Amino acid sequence: MASNASINNLQSLIYSNVGGSNPKLSVLDQLLVPHEKTYILIPDLEAAWGVIRSMQIRGAPLIAIVACLGLSVDLATNPVTIAKLYALTERDDVLDFVLKKIEYLKTSRPTAVNLFNAMDELTAAIQNAGDTKDDIVKTVIFHAEFMLQRDVSDNKAIGNNGANDILQNLPADRASKSVRLVTICNTGSLATAAYGTALGVARSLHAMNKLESIHCLETRPYNQGSRLTAFEIMEEKMPNGTLICDSAAAALMRTTGVDACVVGADRVCANGDTANKIGTYMLALCAYQHNVPFYVAAPFTTLDIKLENGDCIEIEERPAAEMITSSRAPSGMPVWNPAFDNTPNKFITGIITEKGVIRKGEDGKFDIAGFINAHQ
């Protein structure tokens, strides 16, 4: 079920919970943006899984939030789920019932660690919940709403931390200037509960009157940059916002100059290697060649020290039809369509989180584990 909504254009989801036990969730169908703004009602777990899998919603932070809120809606309002839940009499059986739903949500998208961390956090919460079914359902709702609010505040902190770090490290000949940014994919309000991560850095610079320009790559083959980031840049009236094709980044750096690249991340490994939207690695190589600082902006929950390096990250591959359709290639042409790539830490200047910016030590290495231990 879908409905058109005339509300804040940059609202990725609509959530309400009148009375505290009647959660309702709708999400913006991002496959239709910017030409249509249609919100899809999420009445159950299958609908939440479906919009994540189909990329009607995307962005690592938003995927995690929609999964958690979708579970709340399913447990509290879906008649089929409620009937099954209240047929159970033992607490362990109730927990097992809910945990199976959590495991199902994890199968929607494999690369973004935010989803897995959110599900693990939710699991720990319900295991410590009270003994009744209502206690467990209320715990899911409470914790999902807590994560929703936390995402917004964390994103604003990421934006401010990144903006300040970039400004403090501008070279002498640019120190009094505003910042010329480049970004890829969509990392703004449409990829999160609100504000954004990498695009949140641009928002913070804009608020400080320190953003000279922002170029966004179109981000083939799904065109998240041209459809979503360009839309957000125009809605926010960011100065000198410009769309470029993915292959134009190096030429831009060489001819007009760039002060920093800021991108998002779906997973950051123990050594600082980062998985992000396909094309990020290429952009990092261009930045490295042209001495442009390359920042990764992501929530603390994206840091995954269980994985030693980027080679350990499972890279999702999307259906061939997605590239064939968007590129107008001949039907039947063989396709390799990875959704993400891995950027080695060598090419990354800093990792911006809500708890601070991680920079390399004197040994030239990121200490992600040390940062986590210092800020937990």
Side-chain angles (χ1 to χ4, degrees):
M1 178 180 177
S3 62
N4 289 313
S6 56
I7 61 169
N8 180 351
N9 286 340
L10 301 184
Q11 200 164 356
S12 59
L13 59 83
I14 307 169
Y15 178 76
S16 65
N17 186 6
V18 177
S21 59
N22 188 34
K24 295 184 184 301
L25 175 66
S26 297
V27 299
L28 179 65
D29 187 345
Q30 297 189 24
L31 295 179
L32 303 180
V33 175
H35 304 296
E36 294 182 34
K37 302 181 190 71
T38 299
Y39 284 81
I40 305 168
L41 183 65
I42 306 298
D44 52 41
L45 198 72
E46 287 70 23
W49 188 97
V51 295
I52 295 170
R53 184 66 177 178
S54 67
M55 292 180 65
Q56 288 172 292
I57 67 104
R58 22 69 51 210
L62 184 61
I63 287 170
I65 295 299
V66 169
C68 292
L69 294 176
L71 179 61
S72 297
V73 171
D74 185 69
L75 292 174
T77 67
N78 179 9
V80 175
T81 295
I82 292 171
K84 292 179 179 178
L85 184 64
Y86 281 87
L88 303 172
T89 58
E90 299 296 327
R91 183 179 187 275
D92 286 347
D93 292 335
V94 174
L95 282 176
D96 185 62
F97 179 77
V98 177
L99 291 175
K100 286 179 179 176
K101 289 180 175 289
I102 287 175
E103 290 303 312
Y104 172 66
L105 285 167
K106 289 181 180 180
T107 67
S108 57
R109 298 288 299 277
T111 301
V113 73
N114 306 62
L115 172 62
F116 294 85
N117 284 343
M119 294 295 99
D120 290 346
E121 192 174 330
L122 204 54
T123 297
I126 64 174
Q127 287 175 334
N128 292 318
D131 291 333
T132 69
K133 302 178 187 72
D134 287 342
D135 288 336
I136 292 172
V137 173
K138 287 178 181 178
T139 297
V140 171
I141 295 173
F142 174 84
H143 209 75
E145 292 177 353
F146 163 74
M147 286 192 276
L148 173 63
Q149 294 303 317
R150 183 180 65 187
D151 186 62
V152 177
S153 61
D154 286 352
N155 291 339
K156 290 180 178 179
I158 289 170
N160 290 333
N161 289 341
N164 287 326
D165 196 88
I166 290 170
L167 290 170
Q168 290 166 10
N169 289 282
L170 287 173
D173 62 336
R174 293 289 302 171
S176 63
K177 308 290 186 180
S178 295
V179 178
R180 302 165 298 181
L181 284 185
V182 169
T183 191
I184 189 172
C185 197
N186 175 256
T187 56
S189 292
L190 299 180
T192 62
Y195 204 77
T197 54
L199 201 57
V201 175
R203 278 196 169 86
S204 292
L205 286 167
H206 185 30
M208 298 173 182
N209 293 317
K210 284 294 185 179
L211 182 65
E212 179 177 315
S213 64
I214 178 167
H215 286 74
C216 63
L217 276 62
E218 60 178 346
T219 319
R220 298 282 302 140
Y222 244 82
N223 297 316
Q224 294 97 326
S226 58
R227 290 188 300 105
L228 306 178
T229 299
F231 171 68
E232 292 202 44
I233 288 171
M234 292 181 70
E235 290 290 317
E236 291 285 310
K237 297 180 172 57
M238 292 184 185
N240 300 306
T242 306
L243 175 67
I244 62 174
C245 64
D246 295 351
S247 53
L252 176 73
M253 293 174 189
R254 184 177 181 183
T255 57
T256 67
V258 171
D259 294 310
C261 295
V262 187
V263 305
D266 288 76
R267 196 179 296 250
V268 178
C269 298
N271 72 338
D273 291 354
T274 298
N276 192 48
K277 184 55 54 185
I278 189 71
T280 303
Y281 179 30
M282 177 187 68
L283 181 61
L285 290 171
C286 294
Y288 189 79
Q289 174 65 25
H290 293 89
N291 296 313
V292 174
F294 189 89
Y295 289 88
V296 171
F300 189 75
T301 53
T302 309
L303 307 179
D304 184 9
I305 58 175
K306 295 189 296 293
L307 297 187
E308 181 180 352
N309 56 55
D311 292 337
C312 303
I313 300 174
E314 179 183 355
I315 299 296
E316 176 188 5
E317 293 193 20
R318 302 292 298 177
E322 293 179 354
M323 184 184 292
I324 293 289
T325 301
S326 66
S327 64
R328 299 183 179 181
S331 178
M333 179 68 186
V335 167
W336 181 51
N337 189 20
F340 304 92
D341 57 26
N342 167 36
T343 299
N345 61 65
K346 172 182 177 179
F347 305 110
I348 298 172
T349 304
I351 300 167
I352 306 164
T353 77
E354 69 275 18
K355 299 179 186 291
V357 179
I358 312 172
R359 283 183 165 266
K360 294 171 183 172
E362 293 181 357
D363 59 358
K365 298 179 180 179
F366 287 113
D367 183 10
I368 306 298
F371 184 83
I372 290 175
N373 291 334
H375 292 87
Q376 281 182 329

